[in-house]
Amino acid sequence: MNITVLGAGAMGSLFGGLLGETGALVTLIDVNDAHLEAICSDGLRLETDHGDRRVAGLRALRPEAATSAADLLIVFTKSMHTTAALAGVKHLIGENTRVLSLQNGLGNVEKIQEFVPIERILIGMTTWPADMVAPGHVRSHGEGAIKLWSANGAQCASIDDCVTALNAAGLHCTADPTVWVSIWEKVAFNAALNSICAVTGCTVDQLDLVPDGREIALSVAREVIAVAQATGVAADAERPVRNIEHAIAHHRGHKPSMLQDVQAGRPTEVEGINGAVVAAGTRVGVRAPCTELMLTLVRLIERRQRA
Ligand code: NAD
């Protein structure tokens, strides 16, 4: 399978590196020249529980330099860069190209659909973690999993092809027709912890410094699940609530990506997470006041930084 990863940051490099190690033909596409140059000259340094090694043989290219149409295009940009990134690789999307998004947040299918018919889009959720350590160097510790299904809900051969390829790379992937439950439950987790940490500057465990810190996080998560249920997705608040409590108790010193982005002066994924939930809630008549408050506060931080 000719696999192209669009957005070869922390997650894209992890997935591309692990797929490359199975012998798949992998092309990493990114606009971060330092990262691309490091991979081209020394291979990708991949640090996982299975060792610290260099993966050779990956093609690492800027969008305009890539030429071969992909069998599978895995989108791993941050959600606010998806449209521009896909526009940059239109020439790699052939009539048989399947596109998979495991990005966080909502609205990813709609963005991809501007470039590919929905029949060729796969959508999913992953709990694998990854961090970019330095150009050409990515780290991921612990175990994760993936759930995916077709974006239009139909059974199709490309689901099995994709699951097989990801499992060959040790990524623990399951085909799951109820994938939207997992997607929304992860949105609930992220809408709570990402936005509150981004606004307060707290690491996840510090949300316990006052009793209401945890309560606000749980309120956001419950609002998100109420919106999901009103849209017809059978998500359950119990799992995200349990995961948030576990994260607050155990993720000492962890800075969610939205906090890292705010601290680095970069745009965040808040529109695709809290913003998309509030918009969906408006459509189905369910208010999400805590989620909306956090959205407004993160927007304020972003606008101030841009100004
Ligand atoms: P990242 O910022 O490390 O990587 C994104 C990459 O996209 C960057 O290397 C950037 O240069 C590249 N990019 C931006 N614009 C581009 C363009 N126009 N063309 C090509 N490349 C472009 O982000 P990440 O942490 O890998 O996250 C990617 C997605 O996966 C996000 O939606 C995130 O929420 C989700 N996710 C992340 C993790 C994690 O642990 N990092 C876990 C699960 C899901």
Side-chain angles (χ1 to χ4, degrees), residues 7 9-11 30-31 76-78 85 103-104 128-130 186 269:
M11 291 297 283
D30 209 287
V31 291
F76 256 138
T77 59
K78 293 267 175 78
Q103 297 158 287
N104 281 329
W128 284 99
K186 191 164 187 210
E269 289 191 295

Side-chain angles (χ1 to χ4, degrees), residues 227 230 278-288:
V227 173
V278 171
T282 304
R283 282 195 296 277
V284 294
V286 175
R287 287 211 56 220

Side-chain angles (χ1 to χ4, degrees), residues 27-83:
T27 305
L28 303 176
I29 307 274
D30 209 287
V31 291
N32 179 341
D33 290 326
H35 186 51
L36 296 174
E37 281 161 22
I39 296 169
C40 289
S41 57
D42 301 318
L44 173 71
R45 183 170 168 197
L46 199 53
E47 232 184 290
T48 70
D49 290 350
H50 298 287
D52 184 356
R53 69 275 194 194
R54 285 187 188 274
V55 185
L58 300 169
R59 285 183 294 186
L61 300 168
R62 288 189 63 89
E64 60 276 12
T67 51
S68 322
D71 296 324
L72 177 65
L73 182 73
I74 306 180
V75 183
F76 256 138
T77 59
K78 293 267 175 78
S79 55
M80 60 283 189
H81 297 135
T82 302
T83 303

Side-chain angles (χ1 to χ4, degrees), residues 208-219:
D208 229 5
L209 288 173
V210 296
D212 284 353
R214 167 194 303 253
E215 285 314 311
I216 295 172
L218 298 182
S219 299

Side-chain angles (χ1 to χ4, degrees), residues 56-279:
L58 300 169
R59 285 183 294 186
L61 300 168
R62 288 189 63 89
E64 60 276 12
T67 51
S68 322
D71 296 324
L72 177 65
L73 182 73
I74 306 180
V75 183
F76 256 138
T77 59
K78 293 267 175 78
S79 55
M80 60 283 189
H81 297 135
T82 302
T83 303
L86 282 167
V89 297
K90 269 200 279 193
H91 58 293
L92 306 181
I93 302 175
E95 56 187 32
N96 294 318
T97 303
R98 275 18 188 203
V99 180
L100 166 67
S101 167
L102 300 174
Q103 297 158 287
N104 281 329
L106 302 169
N108 298 312
V109 172
E110 290 78 356
K111 287 177 190 150
I112 296 168
Q113 241 183 306
E114 289 175 33
F115 300 88
V116 189
I118 193 160
E119 297 74 35
R120 289 200 268 128
I121 303 174
L122 302 170
I123 185 77
M125 186 282 303
T126 180
T127 54
W128 284 99
D131 286 303
M132 182 80 104
V133 183
H137 180 184
V138 165
R139 181 182 292 146
S140 174
H141 286 300
E143 290 288 300
I146 303 165
K147 290 183 178 178
L148 62 81
W149 196 251
S150 61
N152 65 359
Q155 170 73 270
C156 63
S158 47
I159 297 173
D160 292 336
D161 294 345
C162 198
V163 168
T164 303
L166 293 166
N167 279 332
L171 284 159
H172 308 157
C173 183
T174 315
D176 181 358
T178 66
V179 70
W180 286 103
V181 170
S182 305
I183 292 172
W184 272 92
E185 288 179 1
K186 191 164 187 210
V187 167
F189 179 90
N190 284 331
L193 295 186
N194 270 273
S195 65
I196 298 172
C197 292
V199 167
T200 59
C202 286
T203 56
V204 170
D205 55 303
Q206 288 173 332
L207 297 187
D208 229 5
L209 288 173
V210 296
D212 284 353
R214 167 194 303 253
E215 285 314 311
I216 295 172
L218 298 182
S219 299
V220 172
R222 290 192 182 104
E223 288 177 2
V224 175
I225 297 302
V227 173
Q229 290 171 347
T231 69
V233 174
D236 186 342
E238 198 183 306
R239 274 180 296 257
V241 162
R242 212 182 319 122
N243 290 341
I244 287 169
E245 287 183 330
H246 180 271
I248 291 175
H250 298 287
H251 292 183
R252 302 252 160 252
H254 175 62
K255 291 184 179 181
S257 60
M258 204 176 285
L259 172 57
Q260 294 179 33
D261 286 338
V262 159
Q263 289 184 334
R266 294 186 295 252
T268 75
E269 289 191 295
V270 77
E271 298 297 340
I273 301 176
N274 300 54
V277 170
V278 171

